[in-house]
């Protein structure tokens, strides 16, 4: 993966992390209720859950690429179409409060496992990862390129979610206000990303 492509992936992921979703709602709720340690433990759990999903994505897509050398071209275009679909669906939801998430009163270890469970059972993030990551992988990179893209994606998510923890401690009202715009922000991001990636497609 080229440096420019890696930076583009990191920037796109950072924009995505800035939009509150179910994982962020749970992270913020635990941080506000119990402080930074519980918020960080939640982030560790959700990050590991996303890692497990990414392993499935990389293994599955790598297997497809081994069967057909030109499969990545069609996977990328299918991903563009799915991103546009997600964007339209999100925009149709309009304005909506941030997902209601209650902080847990369980021990900090239990918070970690609850965060992991929340992240790993979310089918939307699994499908999004399968559509999003191949956009930043060249046909020559194959499975190794997918694994590298997944690593960059995960690191940015982890750092971004920790930033949510820090912000939740001092800016609860701002977090909730931003949450009302989440569908608009998500839909706009998906559509712009989908169209941008479609225009930028240079695969043979």
């Amino acid at each position: 993966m080229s440096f420019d492509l890696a930076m583009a992936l990191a920037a796109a992921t950072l924009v995505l992390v800035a939009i509150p979703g179910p994982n962020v709602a749970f992270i913020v709720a635990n941080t506000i209720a119990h402080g930074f340690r519980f918020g960080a433990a939640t982030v560790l759990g959700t990050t590991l859950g996303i890692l497990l999903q990414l392993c499935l994505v990389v293994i599955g897509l790598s297997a497809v690429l081994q069967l057909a050398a030109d499969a990545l071209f069609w996977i990328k275009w299918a991903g563009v179409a799915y991103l546009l679909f997600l964007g339209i669906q999100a925009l149709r939801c309009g304005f909506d409060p941030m997902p209601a998430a209650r902080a847990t009163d369980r021990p900090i270890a239990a918070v970690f496992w609850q965060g992991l469970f929340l992240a790993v059972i979310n089918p939307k993030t699994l499908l999004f990862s399968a559509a999003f990551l191949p956009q930043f992988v060249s046909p020559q990179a194959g499975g190794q390129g997918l694994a590298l893209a997944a690593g960059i994606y995960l690191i940015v998510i982890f750092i971004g979610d920790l930033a949510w923890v820090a912000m939740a401690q001092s800016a609860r009202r701002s977090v909730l206000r931003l949450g009302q715009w989440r569908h608009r922000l998500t839909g706009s991001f998906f559509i712009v990303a989908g169209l941008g990636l479609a225009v930028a497609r240079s695969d043979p």
Side-chain angles (χ1 to χ4, degrees):
M1 177 183 292
S2 68
F3 178 78
D4 290 344
L5 207 56
M7 289 298 100
L9 171 57
T13 305
L14 191 60
V15 172
L16 180 65
V17 174
I19 303 172
N23 286 357
V24 169
F26 187 54
I27 290 166
V28 168
N30 278 334
T31 303
I32 291 173
H34 305 295
F36 187 89
R37 288 178 62 248
F38 273 73
T42 308
V43 170
L44 288 174
T46 55
T47 303
L48 182 56
I50 295 171
L51 172 61
L52 295 176
Q53 286 193 339
L54 289 175
C55 288
L56 293 177
V57 169
V58 171
I59 292 171
L61 292 179
S62 296
V64 171
L65 294 179
Q66 288 180 353
L67 292 175
D70 59 347
L72 188 60
F73 174 81
W74 300 108
I75 290 172
K76 287 186 173 184
W77 276 109
V80 167
Y82 185 64
L83 289 174
L84 294 175
F85 169 77
L86 288 178
I88 294 171
Q89 290 290 98
L91 288 177
R92 291 177 63 185
C93 293
F95 295 95
D96 192 28
M98 192 168 173
R102 298 175 60 184
T104 179
D105 292 327
R106 303 169 69 186
I108 193 167
V111 171
F112 166 83
W113 290 109
Q114 193 170 353
L116 187 155
F117 181 74
L118 175 68
V120 82
I121 64 169
N122 188 346
K124 291 184 178 180
T125 56
L126 179 65
L127 293 173
F128 173 79
S129 298
F132 183 68
L133 292 180
Q135 310 301 327
F136 300 91
V137 179
S138 66
Q140 297 78 18
Q144 289 184 344
L146 285 169
L148 178 57
I152 294 172
Y153 178 70
L154 190 68
I155 290 171
V156 174
I157 287 177
F158 176 71
I159 295 173
D161 283 347
L162 284 179
W164 273 111
V165 172
M167 186 170 69
Q169 288 202 124
S170 59
R172 182 174 184 270
R173 290 184 180 179
S174 297
V175 171
L176 295 177
R177 191 179 304 116
L178 181 59
Q180 294 180 344
W181 287 78
R182 65 191 182 92
H183 291 309
R184 297 289 188 183
L185 294 171
T186 302
S188 299
F189 170 78
F190 287 157
I191 290 177
V192 170
L195 292 175
L197 292 167
V199 171
R201 283 273 72 81
S202 59
D203 303 329

